[in-house]
C-alpha cells in the first residue's frame, strides 16, 4: 500500500521528538513522510488507519521463535510463522535451531535467509552452538555468521559440557558473536514434567527443581566472566536466576537475559487440570517466582520478553500430560499476556521492540520523518478472541485458545507492506 495515514495514535518511543504525543503519521512508498498533530489530506485513495486510543511504536522484535522449517513444516513453516508474527505485532523474529536438520551449518542458515526474503517480517536464523545440537563438537560458527546467523544457541538442548560452552564463548567473542544459553542442568531436571513444589507433590508428578536452572545460570556466568565474553540467557523462570543475574550485572559481567511471556501470567497451579497446553520448558513456576520475574523486568535485570513460540501438531498435545510435548504458541498472545501481567505501554515497547534489538546489535527503527516505516499499532484495552478464525499458525496448542483476550495488535508496517488485524 503506497499511501497510508495513521490518525490520532499515541507515539511511544524513547528519544523521539514526539514521544508520548498523539499524532498523525503519513507513510508513502514505505517511508514516513510527515508526523504532525493533524494531517489533512484530500487524497481519496489514501488508506486511513484509525489510531484513536492506540499506541504506535517501533515494530516488535522476538528473540525466541521456534519455526518448523526445515524438516518440521507440519508444525510451522516460515510463511505461517511470519503471518503469526505479523498478527502479534512483530516485524522481526529470530528462528531457533530446533529443526530437523538443525540450523547447524551455512546451508540451513542460507535456506532460512533466502526463504524469508521479501517478507513483511524479517527472519534472522540462530545457528546451533554444536553440530546436530548434540553438545559434543562445536559447529562452524563463523561460517554460519557469514551466511546470516544472528547469534548461536543449541535451542532447547542446553549445552551440558562446561568445556564446550567455554570454548564457544571464547571463539564467538573473537568475531563479535553472541552465545545464547538455555539454562537447564539435565542431570538435575531429569526430564520431569512440571515445576517441583507443592503442586507437583499434590499431583504425584516428578518435578523439575529451580536448582536445575539456577545451577546452569551460575555455571555459565562463571564461564562468561572467565572468558570475558558476553552471554545471553533465554527463558529464565526462577527467582534464583533473577538474583544471580542481578548480582552478575552489578559485578560488570556482560550478561543479558529474557523471559517468556507465559511465565509472567501462569503458575504451576494451572497444571492441576492436566491441560497439556500448560506443559512448557522451563515449566510454569510458583507465584513467588512470577513475582520475582516481574520485579526483575521492572528493575532492568531482565532485559527482554520473548514469545518462545513452540507449535506442535495435535497428536503431540492431545495426549496424556506426561507424554505430551513441551511448548505453546506464543507470537499472537504476547501482548495480551503482558497486559494481563500489568505492564504499561512504555515497558512493553522497551522489552519487545527496543532492548531485544540492542542485545543482538540491530538498529532500533527511529520513526523519524524520512525514515523507513517499521512500526506496530496496538491497543491495550481492545478485546478479541483467539480462535480458529484469528489464529495464523498451523498449530493450535495454546492454553487460551478460544478465549477472549485484552490487548490487540491493530497493524504492522514494514518494507512497504501493511498487515491489519480486523
Amino acid at each position: 500500500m503506497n499511501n497510508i495515514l495513521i490518525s490520532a495514535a499515541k507515539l511511544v518511543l524513547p528519544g523521539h521528538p514526539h514521544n508520548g504525543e498523539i499524532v498523525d503519521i503519513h507513510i508513502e512508498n514505505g517511508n514516513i513522510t510527515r508526523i504532525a498533530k493533524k494531517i489533512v489530506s484530500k487524497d481519496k485513495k489514501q488508506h486511513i488507519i484509525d489510531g484513536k486510543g492506540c499506541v504506535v511504536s517501533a515494530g516488535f522484535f522476538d528473540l525466541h521463535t521456534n519455526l518448523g522449517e526445515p524438516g518440521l513444516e507440519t508444525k510451522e513453516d516460515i510463511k505461517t510463522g511470519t503471518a503469526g508474527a505479523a498478527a502479534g505485532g512483530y516485524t522481526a523474529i529470530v528462528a531457533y535451531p530446533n529443526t530437523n536438520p538443525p540450523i547447524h551449518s551455512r546451508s540451513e542458515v542460507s535456506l532460512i535467509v533466502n526463504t524469508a526474503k521479501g517478507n513483511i517480517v524479517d527472519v534472522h536464523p540462530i545457528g546451533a552452538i554444536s553440530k546436530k545440537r548434540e553438545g559434543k563438537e562445536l559447529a562452524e560458527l563463523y561460517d554460519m555468521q557469514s551466511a546470516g546467523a544472528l547469534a548461536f544457541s543449541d535451542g532447547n538442548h542446553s549445552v551440558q559440557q562446561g568445556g564446550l560452552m567455554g570454548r564457544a564463548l571464547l571463539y564467538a567473542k573473537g568475531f563479535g558473536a553472541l552465545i545464547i544459553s538455555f539454562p537447564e542442568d539435565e542431570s538435575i531436571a531429569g526430564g520431569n514434567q512440571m515445576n517441583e513444589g507443592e503442586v507437583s507433590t499434590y499431583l504425584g508428578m516428578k518435578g523439575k527443581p529451580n536448582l536445575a536452572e539456577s545451577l546452569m545460570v551460575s555455571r555459565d556466568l562463571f564461564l562468561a566472566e572467565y572468558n570475558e565474553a558476553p552471554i545471553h540467557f533465554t527463558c529464565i523462570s526462577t527467582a534464583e536466576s533473577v538474583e544471580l543475574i542481578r548480582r552478575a550485572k552489578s559485578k560488570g559481567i556482560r550478561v543479558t537475559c529474557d523471559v517468556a511471556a507465559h511465565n509472567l501470567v501462569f503458575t504451576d497451579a494451572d497444571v492441576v487440570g492436566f491441560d497439556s497446553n500448560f506443559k512448557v520448558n522451563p515449566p510454569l513456576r510458583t507465584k513467588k517466582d512470577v513475582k520475582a520475574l516481574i520485579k526483575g523486568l521492572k528493575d532492568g535485570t531482565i532485559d527482554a520478553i520473548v514469545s518462545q513460540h513452540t507449535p506442535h501438531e495435535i497428536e503431540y498435545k492431545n495426549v496424556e500430560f506426561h507424554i505430551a510435548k513441551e511448548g505453546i504458541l506464543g507470537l499472537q498472545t504476547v501482548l495480551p499476556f503482558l497486559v494481563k501481567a500489568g505492564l504499561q505501554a512504555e515497558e512493553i515497547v522497551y522489552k519487545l521492540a527496543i532492548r531485544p534489538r540492542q542485545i543482538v546489535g540491530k538498529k532500533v527503527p527511529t520513526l523519524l520523518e524520512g525514515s523507513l516505516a517499521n512500526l506496530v499499532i496496538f491497543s491495550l484495552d481492545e478485546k478479541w478472541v483467539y480462535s480458529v478464525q484469528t489464529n495464523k499458525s498451523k498449530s493450535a496448542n495454546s492454553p487460551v485458545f478460544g478465549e477472549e483476550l485484552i490487548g490487540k495488535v491493530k497493524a504492522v508496517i514494514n518494507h512497504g507492506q501493511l498487515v491489519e488485524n480486523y
Side-chain angles (χ1 to χ4, degrees):
M1 211 159 276
N2 297 325
N3 191 347
I4 300 170
L5 179 66
I6 302 168
S7 67
K10 181 180 180 181
L11 197 155
V12 175
L13 193 63
H16 194 285
H18 293 286
N19 182 39
E21 297 178 9
I22 307 295
V23 296
D24 288 359
I25 302 175
H26 182 245
I27 299 165
E28 194 166 7
N29 297 321
N31 293 286
I32 296 174
T33 57
R34 190 180 173 205
I35 301 176
K37 288 190 175 181
K38 187 67 178 177
I39 299 174
V40 179
S41 174
K42 296 179 180 179
D43 187 351
K44 293 183 179 179
K45 293 183 179 180
Q46 186 174 67
H47 183 73
I48 298 175
I49 300 174
D50 184 4
K52 188 176 182 181
C54 295
V55 172
V56 61
S57 187
F60 300 155
F61 189 110
D62 191 35
L63 283 175
H64 193 135
T65 306
N66 291 297
L67 304 175
E69 197 166 355
L72 301 172
E73 288 86 355
T74 53
K75 297 180 185 292
E76 198 86 281
D77 57 31
I78 290 173
K79 183 178 180 181
T80 57
T82 52
Y90 293 94
T91 55
I93 59 175
V94 302
Y96 261 59
N98 304 324
T99 52
N100 185 25
I103 306 172
H104 65 159
S105 74
R106 68 179 299 120
S107 299
E108 295 84 25
V109 171
S110 298
L111 171 69
I112 301 292
V113 171
N114 292 328
T115 304
K117 275 182 181 176
N119 202 298
I120 187 171
V121 178
D122 297 313
V123 181
H124 304 287
I126 297 290
I129 293 172
S130 66
K131 291 181 179 179
K132 299 181 181 179
R133 296 196 304 134
E134 291 177 344
K136 297 176 181 177
E137 183 182 357
L138 274 185
E140 295 290 345
L141 307 188
Y142 182 75
D143 207 30
M144 284 191 283
Q145 189 193 54
S146 301
L150 188 62
F152 301 98
S153 170
D154 266 0
N156 58 4
H157 288 179
S158 180
V159 177
Q160 299 300 298
Q161 291 186 14
L164 182 68
M165 190 61 162
R167 289 191 293 276
L169 286 162
L170 188 60
Y171 180 41
K173 170 190 168 185
F175 54 93
L178 180 67
I179 295 293
I180 299 175
S181 170
F182 179 78
E184 181 179 84
D185 187 312
E186 293 174 1
S187 67
I188 302 293
N192 294 326
Q193 308 298 315
M194 64 174 295
N195 178 63
E196 181 183 89
E198 291 181 6
V199 178
S200 65
T201 303
Y202 167 72
L203 295 176
M205 285 202 290
K206 291 182 179 179
K208 293 183 180 183
N210 286 20
L211 180 65
E213 178 176 300
S214 55
L215 197 64
M216 194 60 81
V217 168
S218 181
R219 184 203 75 173
D220 287 351
L221 284 172
F222 276 118
L223 290 171
E225 183 178 26
Y226 179 77
N227 290 289
E228 298 180 342
I231 190 167
H232 179 81
F233 292 99
T234 189
C235 298
I236 66 166
S237 65
T238 70
E240 292 88 344
S241 295
V242 175
E243 185 57 31
L244 284 166
I245 292 168
R246 184 180 286 120
R247 291 177 190 170
K249 285 190 171 189
S250 69
K251 286 177 62 179
I253 297 173
R254 297 161 64 190
V255 56
T256 52
C257 66
D258 64 55
V259 61
H262 51 262
N263 280 102
L264 300 173
V265 292
F266 299 118
T267 68
D268 56 357
D270 291 297
V271 179
V272 168
F274 293 106
D275 181 350
S276 63
N277 288 319
F278 284 114
K279 186 177 181 180
V280 291
N281 192 33
L284 301 175
R285 302 290 186 181
T286 65
K287 287 183 179 179
K288 177 185 175 183
D289 292 305
V290 171
K291 187 176 180 181
L293 291 169
I294 292 175
K295 182 182 178 183
L297 281 170
K298 301 280 188 181
D299 67 20
T301 300
I302 301 176
D303 299 88
I305 300 166
V306 298
S307 74
Q308 203 190 11
H309 179 78
T310 308
H312 287 301
E313 303 93 330
I314 190 170
E315 59 264 33
Y316 290 105
K317 278 295 189 178
N318 192 22
V319 292
E320 293 86 349
F321 191 92
H322 71 281
I323 60 173
K325 290 285 188 181
E326 296 162 326
I328 67 171
L329 299 182
L331 287 168
Q332 290 183 246
T333 54
V334 168
L335 179 64
F337 286 174
L338 299 192
V339 171
K340 187 176 181 179
L343 271 66
Q344 302 301 310
E346 292 76 11
E347 295 169 317
I348 291 170
V349 168
Y350 187 73
K351 302 297 183 180
L352 293 187
I354 298 172
R355 193 69 183 120
R357 286 183 170 91
Q358 292 174 342
I359 289 168
V360 292
K362 289 292 181 182
K363 290 184 178 179
V364 179
T366 62
L367 302 196
L368 296 171
E369 291 181 359
S371 68
L372 291 171
N374 181 337
L375 56 83
V376 59
I377 305 158
F378 63 93
S379 167
L380 293 178
D381 51 25
E382 187 168 338
K383 297 177 181 178
W384 64 288
V385 177
Y386 190 32
S387 64
V388 173
Q389 288 73 33
T390 54
N391 181 37
K392 305 297 181 183
S393 175
K394 285 186 177 182
S395 303
N397 53 302
S398 170
V400 295
F401 206 74
E403 293 185 13
E404 185 178 72
L405 306 175
I406 300 174
K408 182 178 181 180
V409 171
K410 304 283 283 185
V412 292
I413 299 174
N414 192 29
H415 299 311
Q417 301 175 58
L418 165 68
V419 169
E420 289 184 277
N421 292 329
Y422 294 103

